[in-house]
Amino acid sequence: MSNGVTDAVDWVECLELHCLPDADVLKRYPNAWLTYMCHRAETVASASSTNCLPRLKSGDLDLEDYEFVICSMVWRVIRYSDIKTESNGTYQFTRFDSQDNPPGKDASPNLYLSKREKQILDGYANGRGPIGTVGVGVNRIYGM
C-alpha cells in the first residue's frame, strides 16, 4: 500500500524492534513475506480505521504508533504459526505458550485490528479522536 508516508519504512527492522526478545523467530520467514504481510496489515488497518491515513498524513498520528499497530498485527500471525501442533502420523510435536496472552495479543491465522489498536489509530488513546474535535475534521476537509 503506497500512502506516501510509510513508503520508506523498513518493516523487517520494525518487526525486529517491536519484539526484540523473539527476533530470532523472524529468521524463519523470508524478508519478502514479512514485508508483504506488513503491507497487507496496512490495508486492513486503513480499512478498519478510516481516520488512520488522514491522521498519519497530518501528523496527528505518530509514525511510531502506526508502526507499532502494524507490527502487532503481523506478530499475531507469526505467533499463530509458531504455536501449533504438528504430526506425521507417528510423531507428534506440540508447541504452546504456557502463559495467558495479554489482551489484544491472541495469536491468529488472520490479520486483524484489535479494539485497543483501533483506538490508537483513531486517536482515542490520547484524547485527540475524531469525534467532538474540530481539528481532525478540519484537517480532513482541507487536506492539511
Side-chain angles (χ1 to χ4, degrees):
M1 179 177 126
S2 177
N3 59 36
V5 179
T6 63
D7 292 341
V9 173
D10 181 352
W11 287 111
V12 176
E13 181 180 331
C14 285
L15 286 166
E16 289 171 350
L17 290 173
H18 179 68
C19 203
L20 198 56
D22 296 323
D24 60 320
V25 173
L26 291 179
K27 293 181 177 134
R28 291 186 247 161
Y29 300 91
N31 288 351
W33 183 84
L34 295 171
T35 302
Y36 169 80
M37 289 302 287
C38 287
H39 289 300
R40 297 297 55 86
E42 284 187 280
T43 302
V44 170
S46 65
S48 300
S49 171
T50 55
N51 270 345
C52 169
L53 292 180
R55 291 186 72 240
L56 189 61
K57 289 178 182 179
S58 71
D60 288 335
L61 174 61
D62 187 48
L63 183 59
E64 287 182 1
D65 291 338
Y66 180 77
E67 291 171 349
F68 166 78
V69 169
I70 300 303
C71 290
S72 294
M73 293 169 69
V74 174
W75 266 106
R76 279 192 290 270
V77 174
I78 291 171
R79 287 188 66 215
Y80 176 82
S81 64
D82 201 32
I83 303 169
K84 63 181 181 179
T85 300
E86 298 175 4
S87 174
N88 67 1
T90 57
Y91 171 79
Q92 186 171 352
F93 171 76
T94 303
R95 184 173 190 168
F96 64 94
D97 192 351
S98 59
Q99 297 180 353
D100 291 335
N101 293 328
K105 299 290 186 181
D106 291 333
S108 171
N110 302 313
L111 292 167
Y112 72 89
L113 191 65
S114 73
K115 181 179 179 182
R116 179 182 57 109
E117 292 162 353
K118 186 173 184 327
Q119 289 175 335
I120 291 171
L121 296 181
D122 285 340
Y124 297 114
N126 59 11
R128 295 187 308 186
I131 296 174
T133 60
V134 177
V136 175
V138 171
N139 288 349
R140 290 186 73 186
I141 292 170
Y142 296 105
M144 296 177 164

